[in-house]
mmCIF file of all heavy atoms in Angstrom:
data_model
loop_
_atom_site.group_PDB
_atom_site.id
_atom_site.type_symbol
_atom_site.label_atom_id
_atom_site.label_comp_id
_atom_site.label_asym_id
_atom_site.label_seq_id
_atom_site.Cartn_x
_atom_site.Cartn_y
_atom_site.Cartn_z
ATOM 1 N N ARG A 213 8.297 53.910 -14.735
ATOM 2 C CA ARG A 213 9.308 54.778 -14.118
ATOM 3 C C ARG A 213 9.719 55.889 -15.085
ATOM 4 O O ARG A 213 10.066 55.626 -16.230
ATOM 5 C CB ARG A 213 10.539 53.973 -13.723
ATOM 6 C CG ARG A 213 10.246 52.926 -12.680
ATOM 7 C CD ARG A 213 11.517 52.276 -12.170
ATOM 8 N NE ARG A 213 11.183 51.242 -11.208
ATOM 9 C CZ ARG A 213 10.827 51.471 -9.961
ATOM 10 N NH1 ARG A 213 10.786 52.719 -9.518
ATOM 11 N NH2 ARG A 213 10.527 50.488 -9.146
ATOM 12 N N ASN A 214 9.691 57.117 -14.597
ATOM 13 C CA ASN A 214 10.053 58.276 -15.408
ATOM 14 C C ASN A 214 10.609 59.377 -14.518
ATOM 15 O O ASN A 214 10.406 59.358 -13.303
ATOM 16 C CB ASN A 214 8.817 58.819 -16.141
ATOM 17 C CG ASN A 214 8.383 57.940 -17.288
ATOM 18 O OD1 ASN A 214 9.076 57.825 -18.293
ATOM 19 N ND2 ASN A 214 7.237 57.295 -17.143
ATOM 20 N N PRO A 215 11.293 60.357 -15.108
ATOM 21 C CA PRO A 215 11.536 61.588 -14.355
ATOM 22 C C PRO A 215 10.173 62.205 -14.037
ATOM 23 O O PRO A 215 9.281 62.202 -14.892
ATOM 24 C CB PRO A 215 12.324 62.466 -15.343
ATOM 25 C CG PRO A 215 12.768 61.555 -16.436
ATOM 26 C CD PRO A 215 11.772 60.443 -16.493
ATOM 27 N N ARG A 216 10.013 62.719 -12.849
ATOM 28 C CA ARG A 216 8.705 63.266 -12.470
ATOM 29 C C ARG A 216 8.864 64.498 -11.581
ATOM 30 O O ARG A 216 9.853 64.631 -10.862
ATOM 31 C CB ARG A 216 7.861 62.218 -11.741
ATOM 32 C CG ARG A 216 7.496 61.001 -12.603
ATOM 33 C CD ARG A 216 6.509 60.096 -11.890
ATOM 34 N NE ARG A 216 6.255 58.862 -12.622
ATOM 35 C CZ ARG A 216 5.347 58.728 -13.586
ATOM 36 N NH1 ARG A 216 4.617 59.770 -13.938
ATOM 37 N NH2 ARG A 216 5.172 57.561 -14.194
ATOM 38 N N SER A 217 7.847 65.359 -11.627
ATOM 39 C CA SER A 217 7.771 66.544 -10.771
ATOM 40 C C SER A 217 6.424 66.545 -10.061
ATOM 41 O O SER A 217 5.437 66.027 -10.595
ATOM 42 C CB SER A 217 7.919 67.831 -11.589
ATOM 43 O OG SER A 217 9.124 67.840 -12.320
ATOM 44 N N ALA A 218 6.390 67.117 -8.868
ATOM 45 C CA ALA A 218 5.142 67.154 -8.093
ATOM 46 C C ALA A 218 5.189 68.312 -7.123
ATOM 47 O O ALA A 218 6.268 68.857 -6.811
ATOM 48 C CB ALA A 218 4.942 65.837 -7.343
ATOM 49 N N VAL A 219 4.012 68.683 -6.641
ATOM 50 C CA VAL A 219 3.909 69.679 -5.575
ATOM 51 C C VAL A 219 3.031 69.095 -4.482
ATOM 52 O O VAL A 219 2.013 68.463 -4.751
ATOM 53 C CB VAL A 219 3.350 71.027 -6.095
ATOM 54 C CG1 VAL A 219 1.987 70.865 -6.776
ATOM 55 C CG2 VAL A 219 3.273 72.058 -4.968
ATOM 56 N N GLY A 220 3.448 69.292 -3.238
ATOM 57 C CA GLY A 220 2.695 68.801 -2.092
ATOM 58 C C GLY A 220 2.565 69.881 -1.033
ATOM 59 O O GLY A 220 3.245 70.914 -1.080
ATOM 60 N N ILE A 221 1.688 69.632 -0.082
ATOM 61 C CA ILE A 221 1.484 70.559 1.037
ATOM 62 C C ILE A 221 1.467 69.759 2.327
ATOM 63 O O ILE A 221 0.771 68.737 2.438
ATOM 64 C CB ILE A 221 0.177 71.350 0.883
ATOM 65 C CG1 ILE A 221 0.195 72.164 -0.420
ATOM 66 C CG2 ILE A 221 -0.034 72.283 2.078
ATOM 67 C CD1 ILE A 221 -1.100 72.899 -0.694
ATOM 68 N N LYS A 222 2.244 70.220 3.312
ATOM 69 C CA LYS A 222 2.270 69.571 4.624
ATOM 70 C C LYS A 222 1.104 70.054 5.486
ATOM 71 O O LYS A 222 0.428 71.039 5.157
ATOM 72 C CB LYS A 222 3.596 69.878 5.329
ATOM 73 C CG LYS A 222 4.823 69.268 4.663
ATOM 74 C CD LYS A 222 6.069 69.527 5.494
ATOM 75 C CE LYS A 222 7.281 68.851 4.896
ATOM 76 N NZ LYS A 222 8.489 69.026 5.739
ATOM 77 N N ALA A 223 0.910 69.361 6.602
ATOM 78 C CA ALA A 223 -0.188 69.703 7.500
ATOM 79 C C ALA A 223 -0.067 71.124 8.040
ATOM 80 O O ALA A 223 -1.072 71.782 8.318
ATOM 81 C CB ALA A 223 -0.256 68.701 8.649
ATOM 82 N N ASP A 224 1.176 71.626 8.183
ATOM 83 C CA ASP A 224 1.372 72.981 8.698
ATOM 84 C C ASP A 224 1.321 74.043 7.604
ATOM 85 O O ASP A 224 1.568 75.224 7.871
ATOM 86 C CB ASP A 224 2.691 73.082 9.470
ATOM 87 C CG ASP A 224 3.916 72.870 8.579
ATOM 88 O OD1 ASP A 224 3.761 72.642 7.352
ATOM 89 O OD2 ASP A 224 5.052 72.919 9.111
ATOM 90 N N GLY A 225 1.007 73.644 6.374
ATOM 91 C CA GLY A 225 0.899 74.594 5.271
ATOM 92 C C GLY A 225 2.152 74.775 4.450
ATOM 93 O O GLY A 225 2.131 75.482 3.429
ATOM 94 N N THR A 226 3.261 74.155 4.863
ATOM 95 C CA THR A 226 4.500 74.242 4.083
ATOM 96 C C THR A 226 4.282 73.634 2.697
ATOM 97 O O THR A 226 3.736 72.543 2.560
ATOM 98 C CB THR A 226 5.643 73.490 4.788
ATOM 99 O OG1 THR A 226 5.877 74.098 6.058
ATOM 100 C CG2 THR A 226 6.920 73.529 3.971
ATOM 101 N N VAL A 227 4.720 74.360 1.665
ATOM 102 C CA VAL A 227 4.637 73.856 0.289
ATOM 103 C C VAL A 227 5.929 73.112 -0.030
ATOM 104 O O VAL A 227 7.029 73.580 0.290
ATOM 105 C CB VAL A 227 4.409 75.007 -0.708
ATOM 106 C CG1 VAL A 227 4.577 74.531 -2.158
ATOM 107 C CG2 VAL A 227 3.016 75.603 -0.504
ATOM 108 N N VAL A 228 5.797 71.942 -0.664
ATOM 109 C CA VAL A 228 6.936 71.109 -1.027
ATOM 110 C C VAL A 228 6.955 70.919 -2.541
ATOM 111 O O VAL A 228 5.969 70.433 -3.116
ATOM 112 C CB VAL A 228 6.877 69.735 -0.331
ATOM 113 C CG1 VAL A 228 8.025 68.845 -0.795
ATOM 114 C CG2 VAL A 228 6.901 69.896 1.181
ATOM 115 N N LEU A 229 8.042 71.317 -3.172
ATOM 116 C CA LEU A 229 8.263 71.013 -4.584
ATOM 117 C C LEU A 229 9.252 69.856 -4.653
ATOM 118 O O LEU A 229 10.294 69.880 -3.999
ATOM 119 C CB LEU A 229 8.830 72.220 -5.330
ATOM 120 C CG LEU A 229 7.994 73.504 -5.300
ATOM 121 C CD1 LEU A 229 8.676 74.594 -6.123
ATOM 122 C CD2 LEU A 229 6.582 73.269 -5.790
ATOM 123 N N TYR A 230 8.917 68.837 -5.438
ATOM 124 C CA TYR A 230 9.752 67.640 -5.487
ATOM 125 C C TYR A 230 9.942 67.205 -6.932
ATOM 126 O O TYR A 230 8.984 67.121 -7.701
ATOM 127 C CB TYR A 230 9.093 66.510 -4.678
ATOM 128 C CG TYR A 230 9.787 65.169 -4.799
ATOM 129 C CD1 TYR A 230 11.139 65.034 -4.520
ATOM 130 C CD2 TYR A 230 9.089 64.041 -5.196
ATOM 131 C CE1 TYR A 230 11.780 63.804 -4.630
ATOM 132 C CE2 TYR A 230 9.713 62.807 -5.297
ATOM 133 C CZ TYR A 230 11.065 62.693 -5.020
ATOM 134 O OH TYR A 230 11.687 61.490 -5.136
#
Side-chain angles (χ1 to χ4, degrees):
R213 297 188 182 283
N214 286 292
R216 296 188 186 274
S217 303
V219 56
I221 300 176
K222 294 185 176 183
D224 65 0
T226 299
V227 170
V228 176
L229 302 182
Y230 173 55

